[in-house]
Amino acid sequence: MAANYGTNQWWKGLAVCLILFFTLAPFVWMMIISITPESGLFTQGVQYVPKDATIVNYVNIFKVINFGRAFANSVIVALATTVLAMSVSVAAGYAFARFNFPGRNFLTVGLLLIYMLPSIVLLIPMLAIFKTFGILNTYTALILAESTHAIPFAVYLLTNFFVTVPRDLDEAALIDGCSRFSALLRVVLPVAIPGVIAAALFVFIASWNNFLFAFMFTSNENVRTLPVLLRGFVGGEAGVFWGQVMAAAVMTTLPVAIVFLVFQRYLIRGLAAGAVKG
């Protein structure tokens, strides 16, 4: 019995190591290339540890291209999208979880169907709307587009999480004189923090990584975000500077990785509750 337990643990450890290797290997290789001089990238043989490690590629992405501006644009768009989408999603999720009204089930399924639509299907309608209102090449267009794509899933996730919060908490708050809105803010939200953080992380990461909307709705470099900037490295007449490409990719990935590591326990709890409840 003990031998079988030890064997099972050994196989589990091996499986975890293999998963970590295949998951982290691309990121490690990306970092190695980013600190390798451009002249050392095309030598014979593979160098897993660069002989002349340098940060010149990181310096160049701020000198040669407007990386700092694109980084700031991504932060502004992602944070504003998260605030807008969560303001709508929290209210909608609470309404779906607490109130019975005609068409509730139909709307719930409709939200999922909308989220399953390819983003490219929304491009033409959004482009026409943004052009009519004169907001192309602005943060407003990107924030509205990203929010439209993220809200349906966030509402569905929060609805399933709010269902797990006992209704007795709402009723006790209402008896004590709270309004519905006050009960949501003071009583329900503190209990539902894992689900709210999970939804907010989803919105933030989806907005940060989105290329299609930023590429289609902006033509001004003062508004374009990091995914569009990274595309500009490939296909130029001067060739591809892989060291700078990987340095920019590391700087683009790092904020998302840090945010995920800080809030990972909330993300796991929120997604688990949203997946099995409701």
Side-chain angles (χ1 to χ4, degrees):
M1 190 72 178
N4 290 335
Y5 178 78
T7 302
N8 291 335
Q9 292 297 105
W10 183 82
W11 279 107
K12 289 179 181 178
L14 178 61
V16 169
C17 290
L18 289 174
I19 293 172
L20 286 175
F21 174 78
F22 284 107
T23 302
L24 297 179
F27 297 99
V28 173
W29 189 245
M30 183 172 67
M31 295 187 68
I32 292 173
I33 295 177
S34 71
I35 60 174
T36 303
E38 200 70 31
S39 59
L41 294 176
F42 301 99
T43 58
Q44 291 184 350
V46 179
Q47 296 183 3
Y48 294 102
V49 179
K51 296 180 181 179
D52 302 317
T54 178
I55 62 170
V56 67
N57 292 319
Y58 290 91
V59 174
N60 285 340
I61 63 175
F62 287 95
K63 287 185 176 181
V64 178
I65 61 172
N66 200 3
F67 185 86
R69 181 63 184 179
F71 189 91
N73 291 339
S74 288
V75 172
I76 292 171
V77 172
L79 289 179
T81 299
T82 303
V83 171
L84 176 60
M86 291 306 300
S87 299
V88 175
S89 300
V90 167
Y94 181 76
F96 277 113
R98 288 294 188 261
F99 303 113
N100 291 319
F101 50 87
R104 176 179 176 273
N105 294 332
F106 174 79
L107 289 175
T108 303
V109 175
L111 286 172
L112 284 180
L113 293 178
I114 292 173
Y115 179 72
M116 292 171 63
L117 287 174
S119 299
I120 196 170
V121 175
L122 304 175
L123 285 181
I124 302 301
M126 284 187 179
L127 189 62
I129 293 172
F130 295 158
K131 186 176 181 181
T132 300
F133 286 95
I135 58 174
L136 288 176
N137 291 314
T138 65
Y139 291 132
T140 304
L142 291 180
I143 294 168
L144 291 177
E146 301 287 359
S147 299
T148 301
H149 182 254
I151 284 175
F153 182 78
V155 172
Y156 182 79
L157 178 64
L158 288 172
T159 299
N160 290 336
F161 201 90
F162 282 136
V163 168
T164 67
V165 178
R167 289 177 178 267
D168 295 343
L169 296 177
D170 305 54
E171 295 173 357
L174 293 174
I175 292 174
D176 287 340
C178 289
S179 63
R180 274 289 181 181
F181 183 72
S182 180
L184 170 62
L185 290 182
R186 297 183 179 182
V187 179
V188 179
L189 273 185
V191 179
I193 281 295
V196 174
I197 292 179
L201 282 177
F202 162 78
V203 174
F204 181 86
I205 293 173
S207 176
W208 183 272
N209 293 328
N210 193 290
F211 167 81
L212 185 62
F213 292 153
F215 180 72
M216 292 300 299
F217 299 144
T218 60
S219 59
N220 190 336
E221 291 186 359
N222 292 327
V223 184
R224 284 193 162 179
T225 55
L226 287 174
V228 181
L229 184 74
L230 290 178
R231 175 189 174 276
F233 279 109
V234 182
E237 295 180 359
V240 181
F241 297 96
W242 289 110
Q244 294 181 27
V245 171
M246 294 305 165
V250 169
M251 293 296 294
T252 302
T253 306
L254 197 59
V256 176
I258 293 174
V259 170
F260 178 83
L261 289 175
V262 171
F263 296 104
Q264 62 175 327
R265 68 179 185 273
Y266 295 106
L267 181 64
I268 294 171
R269 287 172 57 190
L271 290 178
V276 301
K277 302 292 183 180

